[in-house]
Amino acid sequence: MKLALCNEVLQPLPLAAQCEAASRMGYDALEIAPFTLTGEPEALDSATAHQVRATAHSHGLAVSSLHWLLVKPTGL
């Protein structure tokens, strides 16, 4: 069985620190809540997505899924 952790629970740590902590705690993957990356998640581009994945992979983690997609922008 593989375990994933939502990065939201590790806020306000930056993504790299979230990945380091999740890896240290034995998780296999990180579930990304886009609003934790920016206040305008609809503006995230493919370069940012690739960087997020590379950061996770550099800590031995996969990105398992996205979470809380309708939290931001306000009004969704």
Side-chain angles (χ1 to χ4, degrees):
M1 174 172 44
K2 294 188 178 201
L3 297 174
L5 177 68
C6 182
N7 76 316
E8 176 193 0
V9 302
L10 297 173
Q11 279 189 300
L13 295 174
L15 182 63
Q18 293 174 6
C19 291
E20 190 279 323
S23 179
R24 185 173 19 87
M25 290 185 280
Y27 287 92
D28 302 296
L30 205 61
E31 180 183 56
I32 302 294
F35 77 91
T36 65
L37 304 175
T38 177
E40 298 178 358
E42 73 281 6
L44 290 171
D45 59 14
S46 62
T48 303
H50 286 287
Q51 182 59 45
V52 168
R53 183 177 61 189
T55 300
H57 285 182
S58 73
H59 290 87
L61 300 170
V63 174
S64 64
S65 58
L66 299 176
H67 177 69
W68 274 36
L69 299 178
L70 301 178
V71 170
K72 291 203 181 191
T74 301
L76 288 181

